[in-house]
């Protein structure tokens, strides 16, 4: 059965591409993207049928999943930035959390 919807990867928002870019920048190695990924709605779809842009995601269950994940990550970033010894200041953590909450709001609309 063909699925015409654009989905969101499950887990940490856009971790796959972020990790891949970090490895490429650090070591000059480029890993191959998986052919299929698990999505927020519980399906496995081709990587090409996923997006991190809220405006592109058409699967409602994936939009809800991404909304929750971004809010959770925002809370975690903000809490970690207030701990002793982080690499970011509480102000930077608050800015990052605000950006994540803005993305969450875009997924909710």
């Amino acid at each position: 059965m063909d699925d015409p919807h654009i989905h969101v990867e499950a887990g940490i928002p856009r971790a796959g591409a972020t990790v891949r870019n970090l490895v490429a920048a650090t070591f000059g190695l480029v890993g191959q993207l998986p052919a299929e990924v698990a999505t927020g709605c519980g399906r496995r779809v081709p990587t090409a049928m996923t997006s991190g842009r809220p405006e592109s995601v058409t699967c409602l269950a994936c939009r809800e999943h991404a909304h929750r994940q971004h809010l959770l990550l925002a809370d975690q970033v903000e809490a970690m930035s207030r701990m002793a010894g982080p690499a970011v200041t509480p102000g930077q953590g608050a800015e990052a959390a605000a950006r994540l909450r803005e993305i969450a709001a875009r997924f909710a609309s």
Side-chain angles (χ1 to χ4, degrees):
M1 175 175 13
D2 290 328
D3 179 10
H5 294 290
I6 302 299
H7 297 270
V8 168
E9 286 184 53
I12 299 172
R14 300 300 292 173
T18 303
V19 171
R20 182 175 182 266
N21 291 341
L22 178 63
V23 171
T26 304
F27 301 108
L29 304 171
V30 180
Q32 190 172 10
L33 288 174
E36 289 187 343
V37 295
T39 65
C41 67
R43 299 185 68 168
R44 289 197 65 77
V45 301
T47 302
M49 295 301 291
T50 65
S51 177
R53 292 185 57 237
E55 298 78 17
S56 298
V57 177
T58 58
C59 173
L60 295 179
C62 280
R63 290 181 70 85
E64 292 170 5
H65 170 80
H67 171 77
R68 289 189 309 270
Q69 288 296 106
H70 279 83
L71 290 177
L72 178 64
L73 186 57
D75 291 343
Q76 291 173 345
V77 165
E78 205 165 38
M80 286 189 289
S81 71
R82 291 190 300 258
M83 295 177 153
V88 297
T89 66
Q92 291 169 322
E95 287 177 28
R99 284 192 300 272
L100 288 164
R101 289 187 181 105
E102 186 270 327
I103 294 169
R106 288 171 40 207
F107 274 112
S109 62

